Amino acid sequence: MSYVRLEAWVGGEWLEVSAVSVTVEESALTLSFEHQRTESGYWGLIWEPLEAFLREYRDEPVVVVPLGRNLPVMFAPGSAGPFRLAEVPDD
């Protein structure tokens, strides 16, 4: 069986994304992402919320937190990504 995860192009490689965050008026808003196994989960729980989030906050710097990495990556307003969904075998 396999699952789908969200990845972002960071530093010349595709890294799994743990969360995407933005700070607005001293409040942090964060989307976190769990692995999904169904196609509806891919779109409904990962891709569509991410697109809506990036549209809503396109004028703010966006922080991407790669899974298992110590340092988050900040993107200038409107430049976060690219993102992709990657299918990975379940170990």
Side-chain angles (χ1 to χ4, degrees):
M1 187 162 217
S2 63
Y3 62 88
V4 168
R5 67 185 188 189
L6 179 67
E7 296 180 338
W9 184 253
V10 176
E13 64 181 317
W14 288 103
L15 298 177
E16 182 175 358
V17 174
S18 174
V20 176
S21 182
V22 66
T23 300
V24 180
E25 297 177 10
E26 300 180 20
S27 296
L29 304 169
T30 303
L31 286 180
S32 59
F33 303 97
E34 298 291 329
H35 296 161
Q36 300 298 316
R37 294 192 184 275
T38 66
E39 186 171 342
S40 62
Y42 305 164
W43 298 106
L45 296 174
I46 295 177
W47 201 254
E48 291 170 359
L50 176 63
E51 285 182 325
F53 186 86
L54 293 175
R55 268 195 312 273
E56 178 74 22
Y57 299 105
R58 67 181 169 269
D59 297 331
E60 303 293 334
V62 171
V63 174
V64 173
V65 182
L67 187 66
R69 303 295 171 122
N70 293 330
L71 298 174
V73 179
M74 180 178 284
F75 290 91
S79 67
F83 295 95
R84 73 177 185 184
L85 296 176
E87 189 169 354
V88 179
D90 197 5
D91 293 333

